[in-house]
Amino acid sequence: MRARKDSGIAWIGEIPREWEIRRIKFALKAHSGGSWGANEGDGENDVICVRVADFDYPRLSIDFHDKMTFRSYHAKVINDSGLKSGDILLEKSGGGEVTPVGRSVLFDSDKQMKCANFIEWLRPSQCFHSCFLNYWLSAAYINGFTKRNVKQTTGIQNLDVSTFLSEKIAAPDISTQATIANFLDAKCLEIDALIVAKEKTNALLKERRQSIIYEAVTKGLNPDAPMKDSGIEWIGQIPVHWAVERLKPHIEFNPKTEIPEYEEDDSVSFIPMDCLRRGVHTSQTVDYSKVKSGYVDFKEGDILMAKVTPCLENGNLAIVGNLIDGVGFGSTEINVIRCKSIHKEYLFFILQCKTYIERAVADMYGVAGLKRLNPSFIPNTKYPMSCISAIAAWFPLAEQ
């Protein structure tokens, strides 16, 4: 059995006896923060500015693309030559509770570039293999190693670079580092290829799902039924015995819900925007005092639908269920639809149609990134009204 020793690093545990322990800063030849440079370049002195937005985290590298920002650095420079192939770029500012700072990527390019001030560039010493060190930092991040070096945990976060670089790293000799890095490169390429193949398959399945939903809710289940023009672009043709009507008389839109007489510390169901996904939702349990004002309310069986970008485009809606006392509370950026004379599962699938969502997006208002659906769109838009009982019986199959 290979001789091992305690690394003294809690998340690593034991390591091969011949591996060395040293602080990260002693694995580096140099490091420094980036710079904003000027907002507009002068053309002659412009170089590309790498930003955190250019980080390709899944592949631990830079996503080189034609939209990378040019900034003039003739007045502000990071170092004489800018970034070099083999440098490691560390996200040191930004993030949040969902994506805390401390992630790293490898700069592997001969292009003349510099980096923005939310980034710390690390240049490994001759005793450290760049790829190995980057993989090590990635593993450290995944294991929560960087969290204790973050100065705050809410809002904009900043990594304390000085304390971070004083943390310890375990590593073999550089030859073994290279062997490990090459092994990981090969394995990651295999996995990336599988991921790409799966993403293509998923995209085709999503397309097929959209097609099935659209055909069922606008054309019915009888392929031989005589058709007529609905007069509505996003619907197209419908069976001759179907009608096209506004939804308003068939639903209650953003209705009030009868709320039990809760005490301040009673537990209730809460659905924030990030818990509403395409066709499904999860709910959190919070004290009533936290949601009794400033939130929308709803009851079991209501349809919840996002009304802001990009959640609406992503089809974030669900039929709500499993609520405490049959009622719940949610983000004010959610529309509530309570069905009266239309089958809720039927409407639920209409609202998922790609053509319907595209039409809804066209009706949104506001600036890019902050757009909201016009409140009148859902109740006043015309929808195909079918032989609901026949189609509703088929819906469980469509969900599978």
Side-chain angles (χ1 to χ4, degrees), residues 35-69:
S35 171
W36 277 117
N39 287 330
E40 294 183 4
D42 61 3
E44 183 180 350
N45 296 300
D46 284 359
V47 294
I48 295 175
C49 172
V50 178
R51 305 155 302 157
V52 171
D54 301 313
F55 284 17
D56 185 348
Y57 293 114
R59 292 175 174 79
L60 306 179
S61 63
I62 299 295
D63 177 19
F64 295 104
H65 51 83
D66 58 5
K67 294 183 180 180
M68 295 185 77
T69 306

Side-chain angles (χ1 to χ4, degrees), residues 207-224:
E207 218 174 284
R208 175 59 177 157
R209 182 180 187 275
Q210 283 286 345
S211 176
I212 291 174
I213 290 173
Y214 175 76
E215 289 297 320
V217 300
T218 63
K219 308 293 184 288
L221 305 179
N222 180 6
D224 299 320

Side-chain angles (χ1 to χ4, degrees), residues 31-220:
H31 70 90
S32 180
S35 171
W36 277 117
N39 287 330
E40 294 183 4
D42 61 3
E44 183 180 350
N45 296 300
D46 284 359
V47 294
I48 295 175
C49 172
V50 178
R51 305 155 302 157
V52 171
D54 301 313
F55 284 17
D56 185 348
Y57 293 114
R59 292 175 174 79
L60 306 179
S61 63
I62 299 295
D63 177 19
F64 295 104
H65 51 83
D66 58 5
K67 294 183 180 180
M68 295 185 77
T69 306
F70 284 84
R71 296 290 181 97
S72 176
Y73 280 88
H74 60 280
K76 291 185 177 181
V77 296
I78 304 169
N79 60 347
D80 291 338
S81 57
L83 297 173
K84 291 183 178 180
S85 181
D87 285 350
I88 295 171
L89 306 185
L90 182 70
E91 180 187 355
K92 67 175 183 178
S93 186
E97 292 182 0
V98 178
T99 55
V101 297
R103 295 172 292 185
S104 66
V105 296
L106 184 68
F107 183 78
D108 186 16
S109 174
D110 294 326
K111 295 180 180 179
Q112 184 185 7
M113 295 187 182
K114 300 186 185 294
C115 58
N117 66 341
F118 280 15
I119 298 169
E120 184 83 5
W121 62 266
L122 315 176
R123 184 161 295 163
S125 71
Q126 293 181 343
C127 297
F128 266 80
H129 193 281
S130 295
C131 291
F132 174 85
L133 183 56
N134 190 41
Y135 279 125
W136 193 95
L137 292 174
S138 175
Y141 173 81
I142 292 170
N143 284 276
F145 169 81
T146 58
K147 288 184 179 179
R148 60 186 179 187
N149 298 296
V150 175
K151 292 182 178 179
Q152 68 276 345
T153 57
T154 58
I156 296 296
Q157 296 180 332
N158 292 297
L159 185 70
D160 189 327
V161 176
S162 178
T163 59
F164 175 77
L165 296 182
S166 293
E167 296 281 6
K168 293 179 180 178
I169 180 174
D173 61 82
I174 191 166
S175 175
T176 305
Q177 291 177 35
T179 300
I180 293 172
N182 291 336
F183 168 82
L184 290 174
D185 283 346
K187 286 296 179 183
C188 288
L189 281 174
E190 290 179 14
I191 294 171
D192 287 345
L194 291 173
I195 291 173
V196 169
K198 186 174 181 179
E199 286 174 346
K200 288 181 179 178
T201 300
N202 287 343
L204 290 172
L205 289 173
K206 286 178 181 178
E207 218 174 284
R208 175 59 177 157
R209 182 180 187 275
Q210 283 286 345
S211 176
I212 291 174
I213 290 173
Y214 175 76
E215 289 297 320
V217 300
T218 63
K219 308 293 184 288

